Amino acid sequence: MNRLNLHLVSDSTGETLEMIAKAALAQFDDPMVSRHFWPMVRSRQHLDRIVPDLVENPGLVLFTLVNPETRSRLEEHCRQLGLPAVPVLDQVTAALESQLGQEAHGRPGRQHAMDADYFKRVEAIQYTIAHDDGIAYEDWEEADIVLAGVSRSSKTPTSIYLANRGYKVANIPLVVESPPPKALFGLRHPLVVGLTTAPERLVQIRRNRLLSLNEGTETSYVDNDRVKAELQFARRMFADNGWPVIDVTRRSIEESAAAIIRLVQERERRDRSVDGVSKPI
């Protein structure tokens, strides 16, 4: 298999470009790719400094450049070198311009501007960190989402991922011997979501966790019957309270978070329908 040199050229942080490249590469089986990452390219001088690497490591160029002069110069370099250059956001931007009836502003890194959404994400992350693992349950009513589940059911990483999407998230471990605070059952604003998983998978995760801590693995924490009882306890609580449940057994953190966001949006649509008000999401 040939090794591909993949050049990612961005006039901002390059985060969007990296995510697109990663998503596309995931469609191939173990591709041999050498990434060459070029963020914050906003001048001809900076762009010209990249050319020697393009010459030395020819390959595919993906770019997100909104400045016409910088963009044209990159495309000209690629033509001269015989390299394919793909503007990854052009088709999406053109479609949006057509549907919205206005031209895109063409401002580098505008998605990273410190606007209201930015500060909302910062506040959500701070809230989520402060309300991890059942802490500060007195403030749970301020949350957008509360995740409940037994130990090692991906509550914390899912919470952090959701926080980065702007959701305030609290999470609580469900322990048979220690009932959760009564506040959990009287919440009105947050959407409470139960996380569950297959017992065999949970035992494996817990064993790996104990090994990483250099602790013994012959404990009730990883006992098969005990783990099944914990999961049954949690599922019974979810059912008794009518909470939606996400099975994370075969889901990545991103997939679990996407399922939870859909639940939040569905509830918002139902609430608007009840109120007789139609607003865009």
Side-chain angles (χ1 to χ4, degrees):
M1 183 186 299
N2 294 329
R3 177 176 292 276
L4 169 68
N5 287 304
L6 181 62
H7 295 269
L8 306 176
V9 185
S10 172
D11 51 20
S12 186
T13 63
E15 179 183 349
T16 301
L17 191 54
E18 280 196 301
M19 290 176 64
I20 292 173
K22 182 179 179 181
L25 287 170
Q27 305 303 314
F28 300 88
D29 296 327
D30 301 320
M32 298 176 64
V33 177
S34 293
R35 289 180 177 83
H36 303 258
F37 184 44
W38 309 102
M40 307 304 292
V41 179
R42 297 185 178 180
S43 68
R44 291 180 57 177
Q45 294 79 6
H46 190 171
L47 183 60
D48 290 344
R49 291 197 295 271
I50 296 173
V51 175
D53 193 75
L54 294 177
V55 174
E56 185 176 349
N57 301 287
L60 174 63
V61 179
L62 304 182
F63 67 90
T64 52
L65 299 174
V66 296
N67 180 275
E69 182 182 358
T70 310
R71 176 193 177 111
S72 295
R73 193 167 182 82
L74 173 63
E75 290 174 329
E76 179 60 28
H77 282 309
C78 289
R79 276 194 295 270
Q80 292 176 357
L81 296 171
L83 303 181
V86 181
V88 299
L89 293 180
D90 271 24
Q91 286 188 316
V92 176
T93 303
L96 287 171
E97 286 179 333
S98 174
Q99 295 298 311
L100 295 173
Q102 57 176 290
E103 291 187 2
H105 291 293
R107 300 174 188 169
R110 197 174 188 218
Q111 71 271 33
H112 301 293
M114 294 177 67
D115 54 11
D117 286 340
Y118 172 85
F119 289 106
K120 179 183 177 182
R121 288 196 302 274
V122 171
E123 184 180 359
I125 292 169
Q126 291 174 337
Y127 178 92
T128 301
I129 292 173
H131 294 80
D132 183 40
D133 206 32
I135 297 174
Y137 63 85
E138 301 88 352
D139 302 328
W140 281 354
E141 191 61 41
E142 300 174 18
D144 300 306
I145 302 164
V146 175
L147 301 181
V150 300
S151 174
R152 314 310 298 176
S153 56
S154 303
K155 297 184 301 299
T156 296
T158 305
S159 296
I160 297 298
Y161 185 91
L162 288 166
N164 276 279
R165 297 290 300 273
Y167 294 94
K168 292 182 179 179
V169 186
N171 74 76
I172 179 171
L174 299 181
V175 182
V176 176
E177 297 84 2
S178 179
K182 293 181 180 179
L184 177 63
F185 306 104
L187 296 174
R188 297 179 61 83
H189 172 67
L191 175 67
V192 182
V193 179
L195 300 184
T196 189
T197 186
E200 300 80 11
R201 176 62 174 157
L202 185 56
V203 168
Q204 180 185 358
I205 292 172
R206 289 184 175 184
R207 285 188 182 278
N208 291 338
R209 174 61 173 167
L210 292 176
L211 288 172
S212 70
L213 298 174
N214 293 319
E215 296 184 7
T217 57
E218 299 306 318
T219 70
S220 60
Y221 187 62
V222 293
D223 179 76
N224 285 314
D225 292 337
R226 167 65 183 227
V227 169
K228 289 179 181 178
E230 285 185 57
L231 290 169
Q232 289 173 354
F233 168 76
R235 283 195 292 267
R236 189 160 48 247
M237 184 180 297
F238 302 154
D240 289 346
N241 291 277
W243 297 333
V245 180
I246 302 294
D247 189 333
V248 303
T249 306
R250 299 185 181 277
R251 281 188 167 104
S252 65
I253 298 301
E254 294 85 353
E255 289 170 330
S256 297
I260 293 167
I261 291 172
R262 284 196 297 272
L263 291 172
V264 172
Q265 293 173 342
E266 287 171 4
R267 189 174 78 158
E268 291 174 348
R269 283 193 289 269
R270 287 197 301 270
D271 290 344
R272 284 195 299 273
S273 177
V274 170
D275 293 339
V277 178
S278 178
K279 299 177 182 178
I281 294 176

